[in-house]
Amino acid sequence: MSRVRQSLAHIALVVRDYDEAIDFYVGTLGFTLVADQDQPEQDKRWVLVAPPGNPDGGATILLARASNAEQAKFIGDQAGGRVFLFLQTDDFQRDYQRLLDRGVRIEREPIEADYGTVAVFLDLYGNKWDLIEFRRRE
């Protein structure tokens, strides 16, 4: 019997506009623009971004422009008000300060928890993100 190997490739994030989303994720958060390809036959673009240091083959975020009113209703609330995405860091203080310096909205100030240090921030649409540095286990 063969061993099953699966991983997440992309996570779709519904956005209002490609360029404003790229500006926030790349310009403000410092993500890398992995792909930006026109798909004129579908009237859309294939836009992928990844956090700095994302490993080769690591999951990326697909910035998916809402194509109708039903999809647009979910911009900024893809998880029904819960934290939607979790951005792991190797230096919480550095990256938290970067968020503050760049005017990113902080929803919940940093706390120390059993698992590490975490704060909640909002993206340009209001989706909640955790910035988290996991505690190293001894």
Side-chain angles (χ1 to χ4, degrees):
M1 181 184 295
S2 66
R3 182 172 163 231
V4 176
R5 284 194 66 168
Q6 298 178 337
S7 63
L8 291 176
H10 313 294
I11 299 167
L13 180 65
V14 181
V15 301
R16 179 176 42 239
D17 177 81
Y18 294 115
D19 293 323
E20 75 177 358
I22 291 169
D23 185 54
F24 178 80
Y25 287 100
V26 175
T28 301
L29 293 187
F31 282 27
T32 300
L33 183 61
V34 176
D36 185 356
Q37 301 163 337
D38 260 335
Q39 296 184 325
E41 65 283 352
Q42 297 178 40
D43 187 34
K44 64 181 184 179
R45 286 160 55 186
W46 181 255
V47 179
L48 298 174
V49 296
N54 200 43
D56 286 344
T60 60
I61 296 175
L62 171 66
L63 301 177
R65 186 189 68 205
S67 60
N68 59 46
E70 184 65 26
Q71 291 176 10
K73 290 191 302 189
F74 294 97
I75 296 171
D77 193 23
Q78 290 197 200
R82 294 188 59 111
V83 170
F84 176 53
L85 296 166
F86 299 78
L87 182 59
Q88 182 178 341
T89 178
D90 64 346
D91 186 333
F92 182 88
Q93 288 305 97
R94 175 199 64 211
D95 292 340
Y96 182 71
Q97 189 60 52
R98 175 183 278 157
L99 293 176
L100 293 175
D101 292 347
R102 294 184 176 180
V104 174
R105 295 179 293 165
I106 304 301
E107 175 79 2
R108 190 170 63 227
E109 296 295 321
I111 61 166
E112 293 290 330
D114 293 345
Y115 52 84
T117 307
V118 63
V120 178
F121 70 93
L122 304 178
D123 70 13
L124 77 162
Y125 299 113
N127 290 299
K128 293 180 182 178
W129 286 67
D130 269 2
L131 174 66
I132 186 165
E133 181 178 5
F134 289 107
R135 188 172 324 291
R136 293 190 182 112
R137 298 196 180 180
E138 303 300 321

